[in-house]
Amino acid sequence: MHKIDNEQFGQFLLQLRREKALTQRELAERLYVSDKAVSKWERGLSLPDIALLQPLAGELGVTVTELLSGQRLPRDQSLPMRDVEALVGGALHLTAEEQARQRKHRQMWGGRYVLAALALALEVFFLRNVIPIFADSAVMLWFPSLFGAGFGVYFIFLAKEKLPSFYDQYKINFYSDGILRMNVAGVHFNNRNWPHILRAARTWCCAAMAGWVPVFALLWLGMERLRFPEMAAGLVLLFLSLAAILGGLFLPVYVLGRKYE
């Protein structure tokens, strides 16, 4: 019974790529993946998504069966059907493993979201009941944290871990999924930069929930101690609240989107 050997697959892929005089980057560009993905395949650390097997085999001039078995087959010889089914089944199994890793990764971020939400609840309780003055500054005090909590529900629990293939095929500078719309001039969303964007957005959401209220409190108390005029203090805090949202979330999306595009 034939099974997919990651190391043999990687060595065969490396051999075929060199025969075609392609660099990892050139092969990656033809498949709309990152050169790091190709490097992992060749080192036997992972296998391509099953949807990439046919285009990958086509680029390298072999059949999918030869690619998965890690060897060229004589033209007058073919694998028994049960062995072909085993190879394809192995590829499907590995895809299922990738899905399991994605679920585990989402659960990890879900746990962080819950901890950040608990921290925010404790901060709200403390500030509203121990330091009453904060009960009157609801908009600037809670808005970045609530903004992070709302976006966190989407980015952590609902956002796709992988974009549809047409994002890799065409230069698309907007992302649309349900109620979320992102249109970032100069950034083309694809599966090379999306994992980095997603990680940055998740990090910001958790940080905004757990960290903004204490920062706000320290700034407020500091300006009170320095006897800032109330209006000036309010404008400073409003500016910082907007900067925490726009700079903390949208700036990383732009920078990482351009960097890993």
Side-chain angles (χ1 to χ4, degrees):
M1 183 69 69
H2 287 262
K3 293 184 179 180
I4 300 174
D5 183 317
N6 284 31
E7 188 173 341
Q8 183 177 351
F9 176 91
Q11 291 174 351
F12 188 51
L13 176 60
L14 175 61
Q15 173 192 332
L16 294 173
R17 178 177 63 78
R18 287 178 174 173
E19 288 176 2
K20 293 291 184 179
L22 293 171
T23 65
Q24 289 183 344
R25 180 177 293 276
E26 288 170 340
L27 180 58
E29 289 175 350
R30 295 186 182 191
L31 299 171
Y32 301 101
V33 298
S34 68
D35 53 351
K36 290 181 180 179
V38 175
S39 175
K40 286 184 177 180
W41 301 342
E42 293 185 348
R43 288 181 289 153
L45 300 180
S46 66
L47 287 178
D49 186 277
I50 193 169
L52 291 172
L53 294 177
Q54 185 63 56
L56 177 59
E59 291 292 342
L60 299 175
V62 294
T63 66
V64 172
T65 303
E66 289 175 317
L67 186 62
L68 292 177
S69 61
Q71 60 183 328
R72 281 194 173 91
L73 299 174
R75 294 302 177 188
D76 58 349
Q77 176 184 341
S78 60
L79 290 177
M81 182 56 66
R82 65 178 184 277
D83 291 341
V84 174
E85 290 175 352
L87 286 172
V88 175
L92 288 171
H93 177 66
L94 286 165
T95 301
E97 287 182 349
E98 178 63 27
Q99 292 174 350
R101 284 195 293 270
Q102 290 181 359
R103 285 194 298 270
K104 185 176 181 180
H105 190 247
R106 193 184 293 272
Q107 288 170 357
M108 177 190 72
W109 277 104
R112 292 175 180 175
Y113 180 90
V114 171
L115 290 176
L118 290 174
L120 176 59
L122 291 173
E123 292 160 2
V124 170
F125 173 80
F126 176 77
L127 292 175
R128 291 181 70 88
N129 292 278
V130 180
I131 310 178
I133 191 172
F134 289 103
D136 300 326
S137 54
V139 174
M140 288 179 292
L141 177 57
W142 315 125
F143 187 60
S145 294
L146 295 178
F147 197 90
F151 268 75
V153 170
Y154 174 78
F155 282 114
I156 291 175
F157 299 104
L158 303 176
K160 293 179 174 64
E161 297 286 338
K162 187 174 182 180
L163 298 179
S165 60
F166 62 81
Y167 277 92
D168 295 327
Q169 297 171 8
Y170 306 101
K171 292 186 175 182
I172 301 175
N173 63 357
F174 67 89
Y175 173 73
S176 176
D177 182 28
I179 62 172
L180 184 70
R181 300 286 189 277
M182 283 197 300
N183 192 330
V184 184
V187 173
H188 301 123
F189 294 98
N190 53 54
N191 283 300
R192 292 180 292 277
N193 57 23
W194 182 246
H196 302 282
I197 291 172
L198 201 57
R199 188 183 307 114
R202 288 169 169 173
T203 300
W204 177 85
C205 290
C206 291
M209 290 171 64
W212 170 250
V213 171
V215 170
F216 182 96
L218 290 173
L219 290 171
W220 181 287
L221 293 173
M223 285 189 287
E224 270 207 333
R225 192 158 192 168
L226 293 173
R227 300 185 182 280
F228 263 60
E230 185 175 344
M231 181 173 292
L235 289 174
V236 169
L237 291 170
L238 176 60
F239 172 80
L240 292 175
S241 296
L242 294 175
I245 296 171
L246 300 176
L249 179 59
F250 297 110
L251 184 60
V253 168
Y254 178 81
V255 172
L256 294 172
R258 291 292 299 251
K259 181 178 180 180
Y260 293 100
E261 186 178 302

